[in-house]
Structures are given as C-alpha cells and as structure tokens.
C-alpha cells in the first residue's frame, strides 16, 4: 500500500526533484500531507480528492498519508497535485505501480480533473532530466524545448489514468499554433542624427559595456536604449535556457517557441523597490528584475529618480553576475548577468547640458547629482552626454541612417571575435588578457598619456578605455591595434565621473 | 585699528553679537547703535525697551517679531563667548566707535560698522580691481575671468571678488595661483560658514594666502539678502569693477549699481549676442561702459600702461585640419552632431580631432557641448 511518484518543486529559479510518497493504511479514513508543504501545497488535499472523484475513479476509504521527500525542502504551489493524485491511485491499486517507473508528473489539478499548467514549468521539467515527464497539455511546448527525454502532454486525470493503465494510447501532442511572425522591435533607422549615441549603443551591444546616457528631455535617450536590444545577437542555447528558466519561474509569458532566444529588455519604473529589482520576498523567494534581464538589457530610465539604496544594491550583481538573496530560511542564488543601460537628465530641469540654460538652483542640482554613487558610476564603461539633435538632422528628408539589421551584423562579428579570445564580450577581458590580445600605437599612447596627465582619465578608466577601443576595432573589422583614432573614439564616449558631476553642476 | 583709544572689549563683543542677529543688516545696526553706546543698546534690546530706540521706528520693514527674536537671541548668547570663538579661529575684529579701520569702507556712504577678517591686512594704497559675474557662466566666461585674475595679480593689482561659484571663483583661484598681487574675498556669511561648500578649498586658501572679509560674526548663515549687502563692499573696495559675464539680471548687476553710486569705473567683457550669460554685459557696453578686450585695457584704466593697440586674445592658428574644426565650432558651444553636419567629417575623424584639440587645451567640453577655449 505504498507508492512513490517523481515530481519537482521550485526553489528560487531552480527546480528540485521531489519524491511524493503515498501510504494507505487501516484506520479512520483521513488524508494528510506532510513534508514541509506551504499553504498552496496543503490545499492540494481538497483539489486532489475532488479531481479523483469527478474523474470517475475511487477515493480510498482509508487512512492516507502523503509525504513529500526530502522533507527539508520547502514545497510551494500546486505543481505537485498530479503526482499526489497518481500516488493515491497507485496506492489504492487503480493504477499499476510498474507504470510510474521512470515517469514524473508536473501540474495542477482542477476540481473536474483537468490538468493545469503551473508557474515555473521550465525549471520543474529541467530538474526531472532523464525521466519521462507528464505535463499539462497547455505547457507542452515549453516543457518539450527544455527536456531531453520524452514529454507526454495530458489534458485530464482520466486520460492520464487510462494511458498509465495502457487501456488507451497516450494522447498526441497538441498541434503547434500558427507561428506568429516575430514582431520586430523599433528600428535604428528611425533615429535622426545622434551619431555618437548610435555608436555608443553599438559598442555597448558588441562589447557588453554598461552604458550611461545623460541628456536633456527629448534628446532621445529612451528611444536609443529601446533599440539597443534589437542589435544584440540571439542568445546561444545555453544562455537561452538560463533566461528561459528565470522567466518561467517568475511566471512571465514565454515566447511561442518556448525558449527566450532574443535578449530580454527589462525597464523597471524608478519607483521600483529593492526586492522587486534584485529579488526576494517573504515565503517563496522570487527573482527580481535584474534576473529577468539575465543575458539581456536592464534599462533604468530616470536613473536619478531611483532610490540610492536600490541602485547601490546593483553593484554586487554587476560584479559577480549573480545575486545571492539570503533569508532566515536559507539563501537562493539567482543569475543576473545583464547589460546595464541607464538614462538620466543632467539636473532636475534637464537643461544643464547647454551652458547657461539650466533653471535649477545650485542646491537642487547638488542634491540630484548626489544620488549617483561614485562606485555605481564607475561601473559604466560608456558614459556620454546625449544632446538634442540639431534641427537640420531632424528635418532631413532623405534620411539615410543605418538600420538595425546592418548594425546587428557588425555586432555579431565583434562578438565572434570576443569568443575567439575566450570571453563572451570584450568587457570581461582582464587587464592581462588585454595586453595579450591587442597593442597600443605610439599615437594612442600619447593621447592616453595626455588625458591621464590632464586628470580627465583615472587609472581604472585607462583599462576600460582600452577595452572600449578594442571593441571599436572589432566593430570596424580592423586588427586589434589601438591607434590614436580608436583611443579618441573610446575617450569621446567616456566622461569621467568628476566631469559628469561638474556638468551636472556640483 | 583706528588711532583712537583701544576699544572696550565688552563693546566689541556686543557689537559682534548684534551684527550676527537674524535680519540685522548695516542699516538696522546703525539705527540700533545711533546716539548710544553698545552697552546701552544691548541693555535696551535685552530688556525689551524697543520704544526707547527711536531710530528703529524709521527703519522700513522691521517687524515686532524681529525685535522679539533679537531679544531672545541676545539673552541666550553671551557676547564674551562669541568673542572667544573669533579668537580661536584667528579672526580679527575691526571696530571702533568711529568706524572700521579700512579707510575706503569707513568713508563709504553705507559703511559697515564692524568687519571680521581672516588673513593678511589690506593695503588700500595698491590699486584694486573687482572681477565679478554670474554663477551660471559659460566656459568662455570662466576662462576670461581666470585669465584676467592671473594677469592682474601678476601686474601686482589687488583682485577683489565674492567667492561665489562661476566667475568669482575662477578669477580668485587663478589670482591666488599666480602668487602676485593680493586677493580679497568678501563673503555674505560668518567666516566659519563656508558658502558655497564646493569652494571650501578656495575659502581656506584665501584665508591663508589672501584675505577674507565679512560683516558678520562666526555662525552667521548665508541669507539671500546678505549678498547684495556684500556686493556694496566689493564695489567700495575696488577702483574698477569688471563684469565678465552677467545675465539679464543678477547679483553682478547689483554690484555695478553700487559701483556707480560710489563713482567707481565699471568695465564689461563683451560676449556673443546669442549667449544668455552675456546679455547683461553687452547691455552695459551699450550703456557706455568701456569694454575689456585684454588685461591691458584694465591696467590702462588704472593708469598703469598705455592701452594695447591690439587685443591680445587672438588665439594662434592651429594645424589646418584642426583649424577647420575650430572654424566649424565658432565661438559658441556646439554638439558633436552639429559639428558633424558642419564639417562633413566622419565620426571617427571628428572624434579624434576633438580629442587632439582638447589635449592642446584649445577646446573644452561641458555636458556634451564643445566650446573654444579663449585662454
């Protein structure tokens, strides 16, 4: 009278294999679930019993105990419903025990016995590698794309029972819906002028350099940032799986193919709390925006309006590529390797760029500038002032700007070059790596020396400028030789923090 | 110190305490101290016998709660401790019943009753020039101010200004750095209250290598109305007031008014007619102020040398390809996008030339705007 069924539960963004043990014995009829279930999981009692009865099966009139092993892991949600129901049916000998060997079950039950999909289907199925996995029919596509073994879509409990008892064949997978043409994002060709800023987002996409744009309202900062994802290359399979796991665990809608192939763009509002940004929450810990932006772009518009504590919390994930959320009940690690793109006005009125145009008081500007912490500012390899395009650019009729497709091609080549150097993007090159892969001409060195001596470039900035210059070489398809022009190009996209703040008016 | 008898220490302490009261400006202070000794005024104020100070009745804008605040503050602050605080900071207090010891200030139509001083004593025999201007200056204004400041100091002229951000600070910093003539900063707060905060180091250097003057005792916060009062002292101390950049309205135009009332020569630096920071100065030129086209113009007005025939701000020519960028830039701030349109250069080429020009000190960049550097 014992059954053990394979299943999985979600911890953070990872699935954990769970074994659902069901024991039926003599005694007063009852139904208990033990093994650290949370409220949603404990409610399975009522759902499972109703689903079994309405599927025309028999509920055992015995003392039924369900144990979710290992009992040290907290189990949440309704994804164990199907496994518990099958456990009860096996324990009451309505389903042969042999039929569940090597099979695992994921899904929630409706009172009528229907199988429903649950949040985090991708990580749950991912954790059950090697098994044949039974999933709700509506979750088939997501499960199939991640799973290496056989995936069986089932729409209700009766159907599942029949298939396990071998009285009916397994149902066919649902017809794939019409493949929606991927809606292209906004195109770079629509951007008027902004030569330097266009170059900057291209470099950011190619080299993985974090980008900060300062400029007056209406200069096009947000517009440019939104076009940045468009020129980034598709994620490779490993990266796509990482991104898909996070998206699924957070209950985000997945694209039709099931895999997040395009780099995601997340742009949280500046009112975002620390928890919503980096992840956390009471009870089950959820991934935050920075994890949803994993392998994609985190765009912080109006950087100056974010709470300073929230921004400072970004520093550790920027450094390590992961965020460790610790709670009394344990700590969870979320992936968070994202490209940070931020935009802000140079001062509250936004006009501080053009000399003499700002209407803010000194105090207001000071307070505004103080919100940008130096260490965070330091993480941006590309910091540029975006100015409003001149009238001639805006009104140009025969406007021939490069399109997203053209730029994306260059970015792809540059990324391929970075891969040959053993990194994903140039931004990850260390100082030693850099010396091995490229050389600086005497012209370039002279320019760097001047800027160092003039105090417009810091020692740390030196390495970053060279990395950006290397990305410029890659984009141009040139040899990795940092000559005067490349260094100048990199320097023109990097304003030192002190000078940025000066522009802001401190 | 004046030649008359050493002033009574208690009197000095009381006048210092009175000068630091909120809302107490030179006019009110004179009214309080008219026709009576400081000790008597102190007694009347602390006892609330305001009616007996007849002069206060004719002071415009004075309210009953001002008097109540004064009475409260005076009875809670010991004048002798205030005096000790000044001694600790090395601040000298200049006061006597006949007026302050600096002749130009004593003979002023609106004389300060007490002057607090940090740093070197002032030699009023040396010609002095005030360099003033807007806090919202352009790179052009800043560089002109710096150049005038250092060249005047090199010529041994005393440079006077207000330690404000923008033109004031630029002129004083470069005058101090040149190590020539004396540099005087006149401030609108107590000498221990650094304002603006970003000029902390300039403040300290003025106290060490130059002179800092204030009408107010330590602890006095900067208040809006104290700055026009400060401006009249700048005008009073200077032989010539040079306005480098000024918007349509602003403190520097107030200094100009004070200077005209005192028959001081006002000179103005011309600027582009499209630059909002030059509206005020260009208007002054229209009204007949002599223009400043080089430092020699000012020195000539002081009677130093013959006026230079040629303005010396003509920059030397750069290499032809760099010169084309400079020409495209003109004398007004321009963005990279504008320069791309004007020069028909590629982004790489333009970027590289801009960097070379910046390294050469020919242009500066603020907030994405590139400007020619005239200095």
């Amino acid at each position: 009278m014992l059954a053990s069924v394979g299943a999985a539960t979600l911890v953070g963004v990872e699935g954990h294999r769970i074994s659902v043990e069901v024991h039926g014995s003599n005694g007063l009829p009852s139904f208990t679930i033990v093994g650290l279930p949370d409220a949603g999981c404990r409610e399975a009692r009522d759902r499972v019993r109703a689903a079994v009865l309405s599927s025309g099966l028999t509920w055992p009139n015995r003392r039924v105990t369900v144990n979710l092993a290992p009992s040290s892991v907290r189990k949440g949600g309704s994804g164990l419903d199907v496994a518990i129901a099958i456990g009860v049916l096996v324990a009451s000998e309505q389903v042969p025990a042999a039929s569940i060997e090597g099979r695992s079950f994921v899904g929630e039950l409706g009172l009528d016995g229907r199988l429903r999909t649950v949040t985090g289907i991708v990580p749950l199925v991912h954790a059950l590698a090697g098994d044949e996995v039974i999933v709700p029919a509506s979750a088939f596509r997501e499960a199939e794309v991640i799973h290496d073994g056989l995936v069986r879509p089932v729409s209700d409990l009766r159907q599942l029972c029949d298939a396990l008892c071998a009285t009916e064949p397994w149902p066919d997978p649902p017809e794939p819906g019409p493949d929606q043409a991927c809606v292209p994002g906004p195109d770079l060709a629509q951007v008027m002028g902004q030569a330097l800023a266009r170059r900057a987002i291209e470099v950011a996409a190619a080299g993985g350099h974090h980008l900060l744009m300062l400029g007056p309202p209406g200069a096009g900062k947000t517009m440019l940032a939104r076009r940045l994802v468009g020129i980034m290359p598709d994620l490779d399979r490993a990266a796509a799986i990482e991104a898909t796991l996070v998206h699924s665990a957070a209950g985000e809608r997945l694209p039709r193919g099931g895999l997040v192939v395009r780099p995601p763009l997340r742009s949280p509002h500046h009112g975002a709390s620390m928890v919503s940004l980096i992840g956390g929450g009471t009870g089950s810990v959820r991934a935050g925006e920075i994890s949803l932006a994993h392998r994609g772009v985190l765009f912080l518009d109006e950087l100056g309006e974010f709470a300073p504590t929230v921004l400072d919390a970004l520093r550790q994930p920027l450094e390590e590529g992961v965020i460790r959320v610790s709670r009394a009940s344990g700590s969870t690690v979320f992936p968070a390797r994202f490209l940070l793109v931020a935009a802000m006005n140079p001062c509250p009125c936004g006009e501080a760029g053009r000399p003499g145009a700002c209407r803010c008081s000194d105090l207001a500007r000071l307070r505004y500038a103080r919100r940008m912490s130096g260490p965070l500012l330091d993480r941006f390899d590309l910091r540029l002032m975006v100015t409003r395009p001149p009238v001639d650019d805006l009104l140009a009729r025969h406007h021939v700007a490069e399109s997203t497709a053209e730029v994306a091609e260059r970015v792809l080549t540059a990324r391929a070059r970075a891969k040959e150097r053993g990194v994903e993007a140039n931004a990850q090159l260390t100082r030693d790596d850099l010396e091995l892969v490229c050389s600086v001409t005497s012209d370039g060195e002279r320019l760097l020396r001047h800027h160092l001596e003039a105090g417009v470039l810091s020692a740390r900035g030196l390495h970053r400028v060279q990395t950006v210059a290397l990305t410029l070489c890659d984009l141009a398809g040139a040899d990795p030789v940092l000559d005067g022009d490349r260094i100048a190009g990199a320097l023109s996209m990097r304003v030192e923090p002190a000078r940025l703040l000066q522009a802001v008016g401190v | 110190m004046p030649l008359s008898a050493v002033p009574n220490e208690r009197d000095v302490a009381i006048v210092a305490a009175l000068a630091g009261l909120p809302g107490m400006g030179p006019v009110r202070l004179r009214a309080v101290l008219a026709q009576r000794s400081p000790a008597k005024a102190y007694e009347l104020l602390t006892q609330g016998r305001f009616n007996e100070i007849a002069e206060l009745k004719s002071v415009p804008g004075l309210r009953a709660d001002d008097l109540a605040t004064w009475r409260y503050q005076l009875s809670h602050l010991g004048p002798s401790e205030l005096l000790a605080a000044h001694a600790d900071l090395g601040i000298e207090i200049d006061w006597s019943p006949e007026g302050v010891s600096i002749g130009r200030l004593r003979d002023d139509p609106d004389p300060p009753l007490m002057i607090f001083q940090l740093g070197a004593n002032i030699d009023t025999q040396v010609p002095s020039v005030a360099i003033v201007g807007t806090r919202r200056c352009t790179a052009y204004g800043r560089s002109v101010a710096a150049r005038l400041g250092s060249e005047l100091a090199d010529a041994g002229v005393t440079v006077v200004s207000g330690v404000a951000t923008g033109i004031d600070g630029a002129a004083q910093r470069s005058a101090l750095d040149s190590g020539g003539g004396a540099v005087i900063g006149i401030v609108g707060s107590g000498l221990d209250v650094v304002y603006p905060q970003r000029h902390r180091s300039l403040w300290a250097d003025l106290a060490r290598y130059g002179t800092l003057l204030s009408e107010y005792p330590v602890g006095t916060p900067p208040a809006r109305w104290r700055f026009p009062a400060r401006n009249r002292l700048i005008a009073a101390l200077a032989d010539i007031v040079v306005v480098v950049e000024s918007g349509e309205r602003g403190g520097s135009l107030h200094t100009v008014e004070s200077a005209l009332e005192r028959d001081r020569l006002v000179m103005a630096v011309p600027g582009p007619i499209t630059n909002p920071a030059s509206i005020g100065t260009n208007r002054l030129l229209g009204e007949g102020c002599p223009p400043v086209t080089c430092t020699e113009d000012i020195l000539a007005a002081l009677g130093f040398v013959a006026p230079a025939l040629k303005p010396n701000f003509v920059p030397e020519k750069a290499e032809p390809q760099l010169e084309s960028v400079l020409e495209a830039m003109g004398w007004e701030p321009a963005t990279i996008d504008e320069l791309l349109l004007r020069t028909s250069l590629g982004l790489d080429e333009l970027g590289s030339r801009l960097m070379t020009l910046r390294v050469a000190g020919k242009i500066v960049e603020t907030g994405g705007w590139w400007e020619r550097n005239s200095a």
Side-chain angles (χ1 to χ4, degrees):
Chain A
M1 294 314 311
L2 186 70
S4 178
V5 188
T9 191
L10 200 59
V11 177
V13 291
E14 282 174 23
H16 277 241
R17 189 184 271 274
I18 296 288
S19 163
V20 177
E21 298 163 358
V22 182
H23 181 250
S25 66
N26 294 330
L28 279 178
S30 71
F31 183 30
T32 350
I33 300 178
V34 297
L36 222 57
D38 76 352
C41 194
R42 202 172 291 126
E43 285 166 356
R45 278 175 80 221
D46 304 307
R47 278 194 303 270
V48 168
R49 191 160 188 272
V52 165
L53 290 174
S54 40
S55 301
L57 300 157
T58 320
W59 186 260
N61 242 343
R62 315 184 54 156
R63 186 183 177 82
V64 177
T65 307
V66 175
N67 179 38
L68 311 175
S71 49
S72 58
V73 180
R74 197 168 189 86
K75 290 98 192 164
S78 48
L80 299 173
D81 286 8
V82 179
I84 294 173
I86 294 299
V88 170
L89 294 175
V90 171
S92 57
E93 291 170 352
Q94 299 176 66
V95 168
S99 69
I100 58 167
E101 287 293 319
R103 290 196 168 122
S104 295
F105 302 83
V106 175
E108 174 184 323
L109 280 176
L111 297 186
D112 55 357
R114 187 190 317 221
L115 263 69
R116 294 209 176 100
T117 184
V118 290
T119 301
I121 201 91
V122 178
L124 291 178
V125 172
H126 192 56
L128 296 170
D131 275 10
E132 185 181 318
V133 181
I134 287 85
V135 298
S138 55
F140 174 69
R141 214 139 290 282
E142 294 150 54
E144 191 198 24
V145 83
I146 193 91
H147 196 55
D148 45 5
L150 200 51
V151 177
R152 300 278 196 200
V154 170
S155 51
D156 64 52
L157 188 58
R158 180 79 234 179
Q159 205 180 33
L160 176 55
C161 251
D162 289 345
L164 287 174
C165 298
T167 52
E168 295 277 338
W170 284 97
D172 291 326
E175 286 292 309
D179 246 355
Q180 271 181 339
C182 186
V183 185
D187 200 287
L188 254 184
Q190 301 154 348
V191 179
M192 309 272 196
Q194 302 291 19
L196 191 64
R198 292 174 70 106
R199 166 71 56 84
I201 65 169
E202 185 178 333
V203 172
H209 306 286
H210 302 304
L211 167 67
L212 172 66
M213 292 182 281
L214 269 100
K221 305 182 293 288
T222 311
M223 186 183 68
L224 286 159
R226 298 211 172 276
R227 282 158 178 78
L228 172 55
V229 224
I231 58 174
M232 288 172 77
D234 281 346
L235 301 180
D236 59 26
R237 183 161 167 90
I241 287 178
E242 288 171 17
T244 310
L245 287 175
V246 184
H247 274 72
S248 174
E252 291 284 317
R253 262 184 70 150
L254 293 178
R256 269 206 108 69
L259 265 191
V260 178
V261 181
R262 291 297 306 152
L265 168 71
R266 304 294 300 189
S267 42
H269 183 255
H270 54 72
S273 68
M274 171 107 79
V275 166
S276 74
L277 210 61
I278 67 165
T282 50
S284 63
V285 177
R286 283 173 52 99
E289 290 288 338
I290 61 168
S291 300
L292 288 168
H294 181 59
R295 301 285 177 185
V297 173
L298 180 70
F299 175 46
L300 301 182
D301 205 353
E302 306 297 349
L303 186 71
E305 304 294 335
F306 278 85
T309 47
V310 171
L311 292 182
D312 275 343
L314 292 179
R315 279 154 50 185
Q316 185 231 345
L318 276 174
E319 206 67 13
E320 298 178 13
V322 294
I323 174 77
R324 222 165 263 113
V325 178
S326 294
R327 293 290 180 268
S329 55
S331 81
T332 314
V333 178
F334 293 111
R337 187 174 297 286
F338 54 89
L339 178 64
L340 180 60
V341 178
M344 69 186 285
N345 293 331
C347 67
C349 85
E351 304 291 341
R354 193 184 167 84
C358 175
R359 300 185 299 273
C360 302
S361 71
D362 285 357
L363 194 66
R365 293 204 287 181
L366 201 77
R367 214 176 271 148
Y368 191 72
R370 220 180 262 153
R371 286 171 158 253
M372 286 198 287
S373 86
L376 180 68
L377 214 54
D378 210 56
R379 303 291 194 280
F380 292 102
D381 288 353
L382 301 169
R383 315 163 184 149
L384 75 159
M385 306 292 306
V386 180
T387 47
R388 294 196 182 108
V391 181
D392 289 350
D393 267 349
L394 283 177
L395 295 180
R397 291 262 163 74
H398 42 273
H399 173 72
V400 278
E402 274 184 312
S403 68
T404 293
E406 289 171 74
V407 179
E409 208 166 295
R410 279 204 300 273
V411 170
L412 195 63
T413 338
R415 286 263 179 150
R417 281 208 186 182
K419 275 221 180 73
E420 286 166 21
R421 299 180 186 121
V423 290
E424 251 167 73
N426 287 344
Q428 294 161 9
L429 289 171
T430 63
R431 196 177 295 257
D432 297 340
D433 293 342
L434 200 65
E435 270 174 28
L436 288 179
V437 299
C438 65
S439 58
V440 186
T441 66
S442 57
D443 254 12
E445 203 161 295
R446 194 173 326 128
L447 204 54
L448 286 172
R449 175 179 297 277
H450 277 303
H451 278 80
L452 283 168
E453 280 168 358
V456 286
L457 188 64
S458 70
R460 196 198 314 257
L462 176 66
H463 167 231
R464 310 310 300 173
V465 163
Q466 289 175 332
T467 324
V468 172
L470 179 62
T471 306
L472 283 174
C473 288
D474 291 351
L475 283 170
D479 291 333
V481 177
L482 310 184
D483 60 14
D485 282 1
R486 305 264 181 255
I487 296 282
L491 282 169
S492 62
M493 288 185 287
R494 181 189 177 91
V495 187
E496 280 299 305
R499 290 172 54 74
L500 264 184
L501 294 181
Q502 205 175 45
V504 171
V506 182
Chain B
M1 288 290 135
L3 300 175
S4 56
V6 177
N8 175 347
E9 195 167 280
R10 168 96 184 143
D11 283 352
V12 173
I14 288 173
V15 178
L18 291 176
L21 291 174
M24 178 68 88
V27 176
R28 292 176 181 184
L29 188 57
R30 266 201 303 280
V32 169
L33 290 176
Q35 313 293 333
R36 61 185 70 78
S37 72
K40 179 72 181 167
Y42 182 73
E43 189 188 322
L44 293 178
L45 282 176
T46 45
Q47 291 174 4
R49 290 152 62 195
F50 308 123
N51 285 336
E52 294 176 38
I53 310 179
E55 291 81 1
L56 276 181
K57 296 199 180 93
S58 56
V59 172
L62 189 64
R63 290 171 316 180
D65 39 332
D66 283 336
L67 294 171
T69 317
W70 292 356
R71 181 183 179 186
Y72 176 82
Q73 289 229 342
L74 281 181
S75 42
H76 283 78
L77 187 121
S80 45
E81 282 112 64
L82 190 63
L83 218 53
H86 285 91
D88 287 347
L89 294 169
I91 297 172
E92 288 168 46
I93 303 178
D94 177 3
W95 178 82
S96 81
E98 290 79 38
V100 297
S101 62
I102 302 169
R104 286 187 171 212
L105 297 182
R106 186 177 57 235
D107 303 336
D108 195 73
D110 184 6
L113 282 177
M114 181 172 258
I115 284 290
F116 300 86
Q117 176 184 334
L118 260 176
N121 282 329
I122 296 171
D123 181 358
T124 42
Q125 299 304 308
V126 177
S128 61
V129 172
I131 301 178
V132 298
T134 177
R135 284 172 293 164
R136 289 185 201 163
C137 60
T138 62
Y140 161 74
R142 196 175 289 123
S143 71
V144 170
R147 180 162 184 166
L148 294 178
S150 73
E151 290 183 358
L152 285 174
D154 281 343
V157 174
T158 301
V159 173
V160 186
S161 198
V163 205
T165 53
I167 300 293
D168 286 20
Q172 286 179 316
R173 169 51 66 195
S174 68
L176 274 178
D177 289 348
S178 97
V183 187
I184 304 175
I186 305 179
V187 300
S189 58
L191 288 175
D192 61 334
V193 185
V194 178
Y195 182 86
Q197 283 282 326
R198 58 185 287 198
H199 276 173
R200 184 168 287 281
S201 69
L202 176 61
W203 191 284
D205 287 350
L206 278 170
R208 199 159 160 205
Y209 307 110
T211 310
L212 271 178
L213 298 182
S214 170
E215 269 188 282
Y216 309 103
V218 295
T220 311
R224 201 172 262 268
W225 62 268
R226 292 193 210 274
F227 290 98
R230 179 271 313 261
N231 290 344
R232 86 181 196 287
L233 297 185
I234 295 179
L237 270 185
D239 293 310
I240 295 180
V241 173
V242 174
V243 190
V244 176
E245 269 188 327
S246 168
E248 218 168 345
R249 273 172 305 196
S252 39
L253 294 185
H254 187 274
T255 312
V256 168
E257 258 171 59
S258 307
L260 295 175
E261 283 164 14
R262 288 165 178 77
D263 275 341
R264 304 286 193 264
L265 177 64
V266 176
M267 300 177 79
V269 175
I273 58 172
T274 46
N275 176 6
S278 286
I279 294 179
T281 40
N282 287 340
R283 187 174 299 154
L284 285 175
L285 293 172
E287 287 165 2
C289 284
V292 176
T293 60
C294 56
T295 310
E296 281 75 16
D297 287 346
I298 304 173
L299 294 176
L302 286 170
F304 267 42
V305 286
L309 293 174
K310 197 173 92 196
N312 67 358
F313 282 149
V314 174
E316 39 191 298
K317 289 265 181 202
E319 291 167 51
Q321 50 166 342
L322 296 178
E323 190 60 35
S324 71
V325 175
L326 288 178
E327 261 167 38
M329 197 174 285
W331 287 96
E332 269 196 83
T335 65
I336 286 201
D337 281 319
E338 286 171 349
L339 293 176
L340 282 173
L341 280 175
R342 291 183 204 163
T343 56
S344 67
L345 288 172
L347 182 58
D348 291 323
E349 259 175 309
L350 178 67
S352 140
R353 288 182 195 181
L354 285 177
M355 289 302 142
T356 317
L357 283 167
R358 179 161 85 180
V359 165
K362 294 206 178 292
I363 55 173
V364 290
E365 187 251 14
T366 18
W369 294 81
W370 295 84
E371 280 180 272
R372 287 185 77 158
N373 203 347
S374 43

